[in-house]
């Protein structure tokens, strides 16, 4: 299959390109090569390449900045997604849209399935939910993949931030009242490839199984990296005073993955262990 990937310079996009290339013809575009907010560029690329599938990884993902930079967040996550979905719908391409756990409000203590109603509580979540709705409305052949707490080998993420601060000697103060599903981008890319092969359609929750708080994740990161002498302290979300509210619980349950007969993604601890193995192999290469 002929597959295009937007946002291919980002941490997820890079892994998606690498994983899909093992089975498919893949062309990845970074922000400089494909500004997804430029409708003319989007149409030109799609009509010249006629892809079977577009995996839309490009997004405005700065949660706090979205609260004040609302116009740009809506332009990237909303309007650009509408333009891409419309073009894919016209050309008959399948669209894979990467969404987020932040479309939920966090009040459901046991987490969310694909059947739960989204109720985003910040601008980022609202713009991503808007993107979901445009995909559903404009592109009949689509997959919407909600994932959470992404980290990978490339770019800035929570794991790299904790490792960087640990190198400085700490101490570390990490939120302990938000619960979610940390997800390794390579494993997510592999799930995307499985769903593409099955020609799946609709909404899927694609995150590692199990859940933890940011504090618990930080403790696991330090343990894997061998930082046994770092002082790690749990704190509340309120104490940070961040501009954007966060859902207290954004755990994703993948009921529709099971209905397809696919195995669930590994436990988040297995995902983290795989990340550190890949990291070590990369350093030794």
């Amino acid at each position: 299959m002929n597959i295009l990937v937007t946002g291919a310079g980002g941490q997820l996009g890079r892994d998606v390109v690498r994983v899909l290339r093992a089975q498919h013809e893949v062309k990845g575009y970074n922000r400089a090569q494909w500004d997804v907010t430029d409708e003319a560029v989007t149409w030109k690329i799609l009509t010249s390449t006629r892809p079977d599938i577009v995996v839309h990884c490009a997004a405005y993902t700065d949660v706090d900045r979205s609260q004040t930079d609302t116009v740009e967040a809506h332009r990237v996550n909303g309007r650009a997604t509408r333009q891409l979905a419309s073009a894919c719908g016209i050309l008959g391409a399948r669209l894979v849209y990467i969404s987020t756990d932040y479309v939920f409000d966090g009040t459901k203590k046991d987490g969310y399935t694909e059947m739960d109603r989204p109720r985003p509580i910040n601008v980022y979540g609202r713009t991503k939910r808007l993107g979901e709705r445009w995909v559903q409305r404009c592109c009949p052949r689509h997959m919407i993949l909600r994932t959470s707490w992404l980290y990978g080998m490339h770019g800035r993420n929570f794991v790299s931030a904790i490792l960087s601060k640990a190198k400085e000697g700490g101490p570390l103060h990490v939120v302990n009242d938000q619960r979610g599903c940390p997800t390794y981008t390579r494993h997510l890319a592999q799930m995307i490839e499985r769903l593409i092969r099955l020609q799946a359609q609709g909404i899927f929750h694609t995150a590692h199984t199990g859940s933890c708080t940011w504090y618990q994740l930080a403790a696991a990161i330090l343990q894997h990296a061998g930082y046994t002498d770092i002082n790690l302290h749990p704190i509340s979300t309120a104490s940070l005073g961040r501009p954007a509210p966060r859902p207290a619980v954004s755990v994703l349950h993948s009921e529709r993955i099971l209905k397809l007969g696919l195995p669930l993604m590994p436990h988040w601890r297995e995902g983290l262990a795989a990340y550190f193995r890949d990291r070590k192999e990369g350093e030794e290469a």
Side-chain angles (χ1 to χ4, degrees):
M1 282 183 286
N2 177 20
I3 301 176
L4 305 187
V5 180
T6 72
Q11 65 173 352
L12 175 59
R14 291 176 70 168
D15 277 345
V16 167
V17 169
R18 184 170 61 86
V19 168
L20 293 184
R21 272 185 177 159
Q23 302 290 334
H24 310 278
E25 181 182 345
V26 179
K27 172 73 173 177
Y29 295 82
N30 61 31
R31 185 184 303 176
Q33 296 166 325
W34 185 354
D35 178 0
V36 294
T37 66
D38 190 324
E39 187 172 13
V41 170
T42 293
W43 184 251
K44 180 179 180 181
I45 289 174
L46 292 181
T47 54
S48 63
T49 58
R50 294 283 174 166
D52 300 302
I53 299 171
V54 178
V55 183
H56 188 30
C57 296
Y60 189 111
T61 59
D62 191 321
V63 178
D64 285 323
R65 190 175 174 186
S66 295
Q67 291 297 109
T68 53
D69 195 13
T70 58
V71 172
E72 185 65 9
H74 275 276
R75 193 169 77 98
V76 176
N77 294 341
R79 191 176 74 183
T81 300
R82 173 178 58 80
Q83 293 167 175
L84 177 59
S86 296
C88 286
I90 292 169
L91 297 173
R94 293 165 60 195
L95 178 59
V96 180
Y97 177 66
I98 309 301
S99 191
T100 174
D101 54 329
Y102 278 21
V103 299
F104 296 110
D105 62 10
T107 60
K108 191 178 178 186
K109 293 184 179 180
D110 57 349
Y112 296 88
T113 74
E114 293 91 344
M115 299 304 294
D116 285 307
R117 183 177 178 180
R119 298 179 187 271
I121 58 175
N122 55 43
V123 172
Y124 169 67
R126 286 195 288 272
T127 60
K128 292 298 287 183
R129 175 55 182 159
L130 180 61
E132 289 185 357
R133 295 176 70 180
W134 281 124
V135 169
Q136 291 171 317
R137 184 177 303 177
C138 300
C139 186
R141 303 175 67 214
H142 67 262
M143 277 196 294
I144 294 170
L145 308 183
R146 294 179 184 142
T147 191
S148 71
W149 295 21
L150 290 183
Y151 63 90
M153 304 300 291
H154 313 287
R156 296 175 57 195
N157 54 66
F158 183 79
V159 177
S160 63
I162 290 296
L163 293 174
S164 178
K165 291 179 181 178
K167 287 180 181 179
E168 298 171 0
L172 300 178
H173 298 82
V174 181
V175 168
N176 197 36
D177 57 1
Q178 295 174 36
R179 179 169 291 275
C181 307
T183 302
Y184 181 25
T185 52
R186 180 171 67 81
H187 287 172
L188 175 56
Q190 291 168 343
M191 177 58 76
I192 291 171
E193 200 280 326
R194 294 186 197 106
L195 290 169
I196 284 175
R197 268 192 285 117
L198 286 178
Q199 299 186 33
Q201 293 195 129
I203 296 175
F204 295 90
H205 287 179
T206 49
H208 279 307
T209 54
S211 66
C212 63
T213 67
W214 291 112
Y215 171 81
Q216 291 169 329
L217 176 57
I221 294 166
L222 294 176
Q223 182 180 21
H224 272 287
Y227 289 107
T228 58
D229 57 345
I230 297 293
N231 290 321
L232 177 64
H233 305 283
I235 60 173
S236 68
T237 299
S239 67
L240 289 180
R242 286 183 168 177
R246 265 74 167 176
V249 178
S250 60
V251 176
L252 298 177
H253 299 297
S254 308
E255 289 190 356
R256 295 201 67 227
I257 295 290
L258 289 174
K259 288 180 180 178
L260 286 178
L262 290 175
L264 295 175
M265 292 178 67
H267 192 276
W268 70 267
R269 290 189 181 276
E270 293 181 40
L272 189 64
Y275 165 86
F276 275 97
R277 287 195 299 272
D278 290 349
R279 182 185 176 94
K280 183 177 180 182
E281 290 176 3
E283 291 172 349
E284 292 175 350

